[in-house]
Amino acid sequence: EGSQEGASEMASPKPKLTEKSQSSLAVNTPPSKKLKKIATFFKEKERSAKRYKALLGYLEAPDLTPDEEKKFFADNPDAIFNVLMDKFAEEEPQFRKGRGLKELLTMTGLLKRVLIHLSPLVNGRWQMEKIGSFIEKCLNTKNMHSVRAAGFELLLYFVEALQNAIEEHQITLFATAINLQPFVTPESNVVFKYKPSDADLPLYPSTEPPSKKDAVELLDFFLDFISNRSQSFLFWFNLFKDKYLMTFYPKVFQELRLKDKFDETGFKKECPPEIQGCLVVRLAAWGERNNIFTVMWDINANAPVMMEIHRQSCSLPLSYTSTIMGSVQMYRNWLVHPNKNKILGDQLQNYWQVFIRNMALIFLIESTAEQVDSHHMLCKEVINVYNYFAVELSSKLSRETWEVLQYTVLLSTFDLLNKTSPNSSSHSLTTFDLLNKTSPNPHKKGTETFADSLFAALYFYWIRSGINNDEMWKDLSRKVTSLVNWKANLQQWKDKVLQLTYILRDLHYTAVTENFREKDVPASPPFPSTPKEEGAVDAPRIPKSEDKFVNARRRRLSDGSSSVYRDPRLTKINWTLESIKSLWYFMLNILTNITKISDPISYEIAMSCLYEVVEILVIAEEKLPQHVQPPIPIMKIFLPWLIEGCIYDERLMKGMLMAYRTLCLLFARRHTKSTSELTYLLSHFYRIIQMGLNNVKSEVVCEIIENCTQIFCSDLPGVAVLIPDFLREIEVVCGPRTTTSSSVKRHALEICNSLICFPNHFEGLSFPVVESGKPSEAKKDSVIDIKEKVHKILLDVLSNLNEDPENIMTALCGATVLIFEELYHNSPRIPVISQMFNAILDRTDGNEESVAQIAIECLGCLMGIYPKLVNLDKGLIVNVLKSICDKIVNSISDVPTVGTKKENIVANLLYCLRDWLLAENNDLLADKVIVLDIFRALEYGLLGELVEDRIKKREAEDTKNAKEERSGHRKKKSLRDSTSKLPNFDEIFEELKNSPLHGSYTIREAAEIVLLQLLNQYNNFPSPGGAELTSSPFNEYDEEVRVQYFSYNDFVIIGMYELNKNGEKMARLVVRDSTGKYVWDSQPITENKSGKFEKFEDEIPQQVIVKLPPPIVKVSDRPQSTRKPGETPLSTDSARGVDMVSELLFYLSETFPECHPSGDPKTIMHPDPTDSTYKDYIIDRVQQIEGHVKREDQKIDEQRQAVIRSIFPQQSLLTISQSTFQLCRLLLSQMGFLTPMGRKRFHVLDDNQRFLRCLRELDLLPGREIYKIGVVFVGRDQEDQRSILGNDSGSDLYNELLRGMGWMVDLKTHSGFMGGLDRNGSNGKVAPYFATANTEIMYHVSTLMPSSKIDEQQIEKKKHIGNDFVHIVWSEHTRDYRPTTITSHFNYAHIVIYPLSNGLFRIQINRKDKVSFVGPLLDGMVVDKKILCPLVRQTAVHANRRARALTKIQRPFPTRNLMIRETIERYKTSKTFDDFLSGLYPNKTSAEATPRPSSPTTGGWVT
């Protein structure tokens, strides 16, 4: 039974080592009952067991109050203690046998109450030996843990009661109470100063040896015990420090000289991690209590121990991740909190340094694959703490602390990365995993590896410290240079260099630019790729999205730098000009010679950094005022690296490409400040480029081509030497069999387009070819050779069916400029021009709408050189027109329903056809073949097919139906049904017109407009009123006359009224259609007053007369007859084409020779001339007959007038002659409008006030496309809007441009489109104006408008120029024009012209990013003066059309057409035909009526 009891007690749960509350609910039990329960206890003669039982029963009674218990112990101390000891002595043999555990624990609990309630007696050494002996027996190391735990608790209360009266024996007992032996291993060689005495037998033996867990539980209980002893905490902490902390951390105590330096006891290497974890958790709780915290951080005794605990906690295994994390966060809060760290006083910096060093140990903790995530989390936390020091506490850190932080991170980084090396003694595979572990980037979007975080912190601390110690920078350079093969190293170096470059730019460049720029002028952002960050140096703001302009160079420069994040931690630093400059130099050169990097990825990153730095500085340099020298010598710093970087190494290919890219960025641009040094360096640049173009690797060639698009338009001295090399490679790149990317081809085409005008401009110049390893010709390329190469390159691209659309559009524009260049210079090559025309025509009907649109626009541009084309080869024009017509017909007839994209292409082709036909002074319609093709295309556009084809289909269908009826397969129709279905031209035309076969209203509308414009304006431009007027300016609704309005075919409005002109009545017609308004005066001619008809041809201006060529007489060679003389002509000869009349005459002369006086039958076809006397006789007889007939006619006329006077009174005749609509009615009748058939197309309109208001609105719509284009002159050194708009004159070349863009018109008398300019002289006296049959352009020229001396902003100029969609800018500044210089929301595109020193002109196209491709001039083209003006004008018109498309502004013709149709539909009357005719015959009332007021209130005629 004893064994079973002991076993069950051993298996019972271990008691909790916490103080139990001794309080209980007081029960109002009569004292007599309580005394009765305890009576047995007071009987000294009673056995100890009964007395002990009575004692427990009393103490465990629920009604016992704490005060009663305390009084009971105070009154009976010896009795209680003796009963307890007697009972223990009685049960001790059983305990040693492993029985009665519960009883033993009860006894320890009773002794605990004794120590609590009788602590004053204990302090007086009461029962000291017996109590100590009992506790010592419980603490035997061989006891069960629960017994030892109970004994340890008794020891703590015993020591607490003794305190200063404690003896050495109790101290030794306390020092050995926690058994640390389980933490000792054979290898550790740990020796303890205090050893437990285990000579006696265990009180309650354990079946298991002591464990680490047991020791940790006792330690944790002790720490919890003293946590609640605030009054005695110092006593307990000192006791714990002396007996345990000195064992845990002996080294720090030796350093503090609290332990002998020769004392080898304790954990010399490190404290066991289990104990360390327990301490950290308890220290965290103590730190929240100020009285305890003060004891812990006693700077003279305990603070170093606290730091040693932190140091060793940072070296714990990763299985204690939570302990390590808690230690880092706890010490961070203690050391940086101002209310807590003030206790450290002037030693704070030292403790910060220790703290920084301690945390670095976390980086080097060994980890397994499963622990990498935990290790990464800890390392990131350490970096965060370091960042807090560097950012939030940067101003409080001493120089020494900064150095500790810098070197700690530097050495940790170096050691950690070296662990990944297989040659390292501490090689670890998991370290590599740790360094590549990713996490969210706290500063920008995306993720970063831990290696990135580490290097970013390293470089940031070195920059942020502001320490410019050369030795420190050398140390950093040595370490990071040895780690250049790490991608993270190079990436973070690049990031920091770029950050510093932006700050350098803002201080050294932007500040100068802003100081130079006038304060009151809104400045455009010189650096659009870098937004302003919080705390950064003030810089111009980035424009809104709608103000962003793009061109080819800007797109290339924005790659890379626009994505760089501006770190506010760096921008907040109070930089000076010298500090940022020196630090930038340090960081840029920290890797020493980057061309020595052997790792391909790192080398590429390094070179890309150079590129982006150079890009930032180049853009900044371009913004500097002209007189300011760049503060950073870019060439001197970067050129050595770049030249060495261009040396071929296939392993480092990508880095080498970046070197070429950077080199091209440095040189292949417009240099604002030309120096002799630049000229010297250019020769080296040209040589390197030639070597690159001759490289066997196509990647090098492509990289050069992509980044040298501006090389031939940058006005570089001697750049022509590179032309043969570039053209040779471009020819390969753009060839039909190439696999080069579309982007490279596009840049190659840009270079090719910039060379179009070079051959003719530099006529006779030859270019040497550099020998290379590639197959090339050994001869010199002449000018003609270059022409041929440019021509071939463009043709290769245009003939490639799989080419990129944008490349095709670029080549189309180049082909257009090439045609202009050929025609404007001597000896144009007809085959080349013809090939280019065909190539453009082939692209007008492709599947890509954008390509077709550009091709059609290019064709329209070429219409401007019609006179030169006619003189060169008129057949070429005929082929162009025929091709356009065929494409229109094919596009419509190929598909049953034209799609949206296709219909726009067809409509644009129709407008292009119109532009060619309305070219000035052409006779294209004199050719019957061309006319048939044109009207065939128009008929397809109107109807979708030919009416003739529809009639044939109907006839074939009727024939088929008739056959079916005859065969009985179809029911026979009546005669009426069959006749009603016969084909009718008018019916079919109307049917197709109302519902065209192609189903596109857009195409039908375009065909109608083209047809109307041809009928109205073909060879009628300029009109008699000049080029300014194609429509009549006359307004009939302003006259005091009665006007009747009609509609014809629902697309023409006709107004008619009668008026007296020079005493004679005549009818006036006012015709309005989609092309404009036309006014005609008509008068019937009933007699020939002058005896002959007047010839009006001499009175018509020469421009209006249509000169038709003489009729073409086709002579056919008739077959000769085979008839023999004397034979009768046979009818069979006529079938062979023999002239039978001539044969008959020959036969008569042969048979009857007497019929001719000469007797020669051959003269019968040629009779002799008539005798002159006979001729005079005949003329005299004719005159006599004519005189007789005239006298008879006069007599008959007099008789007829007499009869009329006898029948009609004189007043009736007067009434008829005074009719207000007599002549108009006659005109309508004689034109066939009053017939029943004409009435179907001719309708009366209700001319009320609203109708007249619609007419006024209609007359405000132009009949031609109108454009207003701004022209701006930028002089040298002019940077801002105020100085530019303040110009009153320009250079001679600029004035030539104005004259070439149009002709000057007097604004006061100008009758054409005004473009919003005033006639009163406030906008100037003259302005350039240009017009064609379908286009009007008014130029708003800033130099021709008067400048205001009061208004420096020149608002009067800006209100016109600022509202123009397109600006033509003539810039003589050395810097590129900024499109945001003149601030406006309406400027969509800028065509900037730069005169070059070689006599050519560079073109720059800036357009908003939402504006699509514009041509024919493209960004980077170089053109000569002869073709500049027409190409600039056409490009401006096309850019205007793009802008109008964005603003939903339509062409004027569809707008007028729609308004006319809506007006007719709204105001068409519903009169019957009889009512309509009766209204045209006025009665007596109408004859006496007065003229109708100009604003009628009723419609129709009053009868």
Side-chain angles (χ1 to χ4, degrees), residues 1161-1191:
K1162 294 182 180 180
T1163 60
I1164 194 168
M1165 299 296 294
H1166 307 283
D1168 293 336
T1170 308
D1171 187 12
S1172 59
T1173 55
Y1174 177 76
K1175 182 177 180 180
D1176 294 339
Y1177 169 75
I1178 294 299
I1179 292 174
D1180 182 61
R1181 294 296 296 173
V1182 170
Q1183 289 177 352
Q1184 290 178 7
I1185 294 172
E1186 287 178 350
H1188 179 73
V1189 171
K1190 184 177 181 181
R1191 287 191 294 274

Side-chain angles (χ1 to χ4, degrees), residues 10 72 192 345 737 766 793-794 929 1060 1221 1338 1407 1418 1436:
M10 291 176 62
F72 176 75
F192 299 114
R737 298 181 180 179
S766 59
I793 291 168
L794 294 176
V929 177
N1060 287 319
F1221 207 68
M1338 175 59 75
R1407 53 185 172 87
L1418 302 178

